Amino acid sequence: MNTNISKLDTKNPTQETLLTPRFYTTDFDEMKNLDISSNSEEIVAILEEFRVDYNKQHFVRDNEFLQSWSKFDDKTTSLFIEFLERSCTAEFSGFLLYKELSRNLKKENPLLAEGFSFMSRDEARHAGFLNKAMSDFNLTLDLGFLTKSRKYTFFEPKFIFYATYLSEKIGYWRYITIYRHLEKNPQFRIYPIFKFFESWCQDENRHGDFFAAVLKSQPNLLRGWESKLWCKFFLLSVFATMYLNDTQRSDFYASIGLDAKKFDMHVIIQTNKSSGKLFPIILDVQNPLFKELLDKCVINNDCLVAIDKTQQLSFIKTLMKIPYILNIVMNLIRIYSMKGIESQKDWNIIY
Ligand SMILES: [Fe+2]
Ligand SMILES: [Fe+2]
């Protein structure tokens, strides 16, 4: 039989680093006054899709969950707990941001508010489902405590749109890639949550489409040299963060039969390609130099992680980290300086 709820332990949130899933807030007044009328038709069409609520009945735990997971060894258990916690935190962070936005924009910008409200509904389901899965390992995340204790990063609305568009699309590609891999290699589907990813990722895809439609209503964010600089910046930030995170957790990916670096490169290539339908420029991710430089960042990041594990005083640790941080920044600047791929010529929709 499954976990006895009364025995659940509340898990303390993992210590925050630059690479842990972040919580965001924005300028609600600026968002209220955002004029999205130039693309309202597409936005209304996506709201209709949200309203249908295709996944209303999807997130129901079936009998497969009703077994003991104590058969996992300690290492696999802690890898799974970390995966579930990070995923739950990321989904919950989306829920909080979208919920706050829908609440604040309700009067002044009802169309946008409605979109955020539907998306917060979906993210709450995703976070809840993941938190329930943590209970299979006798743990639960205190989401109320997380809401109060986390630091919030401020992003201007336009940056929220670039960042959330990309994180939704990369989320889609991550979930569908894991799902397809496990469909072909069922011997690695060692825990039932992965079979839910096929319909789940469609939620993320629709969220990404919503942000794409909002971005299209602001042509200045998708045209001109400044927008190109920002598009490249956000593509690189999202890709590098994922790559550094996942290479640190290659054992988890190995436990479901995936090579973390190959998996990430596939997700990066696909997300980059999808973004080319919206962004005027994308990164040349298939140029071997791109991966070579990312791998140099990984080597330096491994040194940062090793320093964190030492017993040194914290200011000594900070000093020890400086050369490695500089190396990471330098390699990221080199990637950023690589010639991008102009995607505007491939756009088949004129807006
Ligand atoms: Fe989600
Ligand atoms: Fe989402």
Side-chain angles (χ1 to χ4, degrees), residues 210-242:
F210 177 78
F211 285 113
V214 175
L215 276 162
K216 285 185 206 166
S217 75
Q218 313 296 309
N220 59 317
L221 299 185
L222 299 172
R223 285 188 186 152
W225 63 269
E226 199 189 330
S227 78
K228 287 184 180 175
L229 294 180
W230 285 120
C231 288
K232 277 182 80 179
F233 173 81
F234 279 99
L235 283 163
L236 177 58
S237 316
V238 171
F239 293 160
T241 307
M242 176 178 77

Side-chain angles (χ1 to χ4, degrees), residues 158-159 162 166 215 218-237 272 275-276 278-284 335-347 351:
K158 68 172 177 181
F159 299 149
Y162 289 128
L166 282 174
L215 276 162
Q218 313 296 309
N220 59 317
L221 299 185
L222 299 172
R223 285 188 186 152
W225 63 269
E226 199 189 330
S227 78
K228 287 184 180 175
L229 294 180
W230 285 120
C231 288
K232 277 182 80 179
F233 173 81
F234 279 99
L235 283 163
L236 177 58
S237 316
N272 196 51
S275 308
L278 179 72
F279 289 178
I281 196 162
I282 50 174
L283 301 179
D284 188 5
I335 302 179
Y336 188 77
S337 319
M338 284 169 64
K339 198 172 177 312
I341 299 171
E342 299 281 336
S343 38
Q344 213 158 349
K345 60 179 172 19
D346 302 328
W347 290 350
Y351 52 85

Side-chain angles (χ1 to χ4, degrees), residues 95 103 144 149 258 269 291 317:
F95 158 75
R103 211 171 52 81
S149 66
L258 280 169
I269 289 167
K291 186 175 177 296
K317 280 188 191 176

Side-chain angles (χ1 to χ4, degrees), residues 91 122-123 126 168 175 200 204 207:
E91 296 279 9
D122 297 341
E123 305 301 16
H126 302 166
E168 295 291 357
Y175 286 142
W200 186 328
E204 313 303 4
H207 299 171

